[in-house]
């Protein structure tokens, strides 16, 4: 079943409406859909390398817009359902403390989820749920998603098909290692 979905996605890569499909996938992936836009973006760039930067830009804009939908979902459901339930359980103060801690590190949470295989949609919804400042959320989402999509586009534009296997299998791991090293560096500076 997954192979058939992958083959169908690959066939969409050179379709005249491929950019619209990519925008749709990137939009819904940021809030509810489980398949990342890379699955469509990679074959699109391989099919038309001259459009690599446009393809990355479409994925970026649609992904951040979808992230705003995820943010709205978190904000809406928390206010209407979550908060009254927590208040009835006597946990409203604990939730306020959690929200503050999440928002203190919110920039990093959004950045990490935006560039690693961690589901970005989880962080978009939590950002709305905790009331993260929208400007922080949007700016970090733009930074993270731009890094992810433009690095993939750049690698494919430069190296073409040979880099495809690396991207499909190992780029998430490379981004994760980058984030761990980044945090490790900040931690080392703080300790030293």
């Amino acid at each position: 079943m997954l192979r058939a979905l992958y083959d169908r996605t690959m066939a969409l890569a050179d379709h005249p409406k491929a950019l619209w499909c990519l925008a749709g996938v990137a939009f819904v992936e940021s809030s509810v859909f489980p398949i990342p836009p890379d699955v469509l973006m990679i074959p699109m760039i391989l099919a038309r390398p001259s459009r690599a930067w446009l393809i990355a830009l479409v994925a970026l804009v649609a992904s951040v817009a979808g992230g705003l939908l995820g943010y709205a979902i978190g904000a809406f459901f928390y206010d209407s359902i979550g908060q009254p339930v927590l208040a009835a359980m006597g946990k409203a103060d604990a939730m306020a403390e959690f929200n503050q801690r999440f928002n203190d590190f919110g920039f990093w949470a959004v950045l990490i989820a935006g560039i690693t295989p961690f589901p970005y949609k989880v962080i978009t919804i939590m950002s709305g749920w905790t009331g993260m400042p929208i400007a922080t959320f949007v700016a970090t989402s733009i930074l993270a998603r731009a890094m992810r999509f433009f690095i993939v586009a750049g690698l494919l534009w430069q190296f073409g098909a040979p880099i495809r296997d690396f991207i499909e299998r190992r780029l998430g791991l490379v981004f994760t290692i980058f984030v761990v090293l980044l945090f490790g560096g900040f931690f080392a500076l703080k300790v030293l």
Side-chain angles (χ1 to χ4, degrees), residues 70-76 78-79 102 123-132 137:
Y71 186 99
I73 289 169
F76 173 75
Y78 177 73
D79 287 343
F102 177 83
I123 296 300
T124 66
I125 293 169
M126 283 187 70
S127 296
W129 178 40
T130 62
M132 176 187 285
F137 174 76

Side-chain angles (χ1 to χ4, degrees), residues 29-30 60 63-68 70-71 99 101-149 175 178-179 182-183:
E29 182 269 339
S30 295
L60 166 65
S63 182
V64 172
L68 287 170
Y71 186 99
N99 290 354
R101 274 189 271 156
F102 177 83
N103 288 336
D104 287 346
F105 297 102
F107 169 86
W108 294 107
V110 175
L111 183 69
I112 290 167
I115 62 175
T116 66
F118 185 84
Y120 177 59
K121 68 194 83 7
V122 171
I123 296 300
T124 66
I125 293 169
M126 283 187 70
S127 296
W129 178 40
T130 62
M132 176 187 285
I134 192 81
T136 301
F137 174 76
V138 170
T140 309
S141 291
I142 290 170
L143 174 65
R145 296 315 251 184
M147 285 176 61
R148 177 173 175 164
F149 298 136
F175 279 133
F178 169 76
V179 168
L182 184 66
F183 269 116

Side-chain angles (χ1 to χ4, degrees), residues 7-180:
D7 290 341
R8 228 169 137 208
T9 303
M10 294 289 280
L12 277 175
D14 204 26
H15 191 274
K17 304 265 188 214
L19 279 176
W20 288 105
C21 292
L22 174 63
V25 168
F27 181 84
V28 296
E29 182 269 339
S30 295
S31 52
V32 294
F33 194 59
I35 298 175
D38 307 66
V39 172
L40 187 54
M41 192 174 121
I42 291 169
M44 286 176 66
I45 294 171
L46 290 174
R48 307 226 7 229
S50 63
R51 297 181 75 185
W53 309 118
L54 174 63
I55 292 166
L57 180 63
V58 167
L60 166 65
V61 171
S63 182
V64 172
L68 287 170
L69 173 63
Y71 186 99
I73 289 169
F76 173 75
F77 284 113
Y78 177 73
D79 287 343
S80 64
I81 298 169
Q83 191 174 24
V85 169
L86 290 171
M89 295 171 55
K91 298 291 185 184
D93 292 337
M95 195 61 214
E97 185 179 328
F98 171 81
N99 290 354
Q100 183 60 43
R101 274 189 271 156
F102 177 83
N103 288 336
D104 287 346
F105 297 102
F107 169 86
W108 294 107
V110 175
L111 183 69
I112 290 167
I115 62 175
T116 66
F118 185 84
Y120 177 59
K121 68 194 83 7
V122 171
I123 296 300
T124 66
I125 293 169
M126 283 187 70
S127 296
W129 178 40
T130 62
M132 176 187 285
I134 192 81
T136 301
F137 174 76
V138 170
T140 309
S141 291
I142 290 170
L143 174 65
R145 296 315 251 184
M147 285 176 61
R148 177 173 175 164
F149 298 136
F150 280 93
I151 287 172
V152 169
L155 288 170
L156 288 168
W157 178 77
Q158 181 68 34
F159 300 107
I163 198 74
R164 177 180 173 179
D165 180 60
F166 174 81
I167 289 171
E168 288 179 346
R169 296 178 190 263
R170 297 177 191 93
L171 194 60
L173 176 64
V174 171
F175 279 133
T176 302
I177 290 170
F178 169 76
V179 168
V180 167

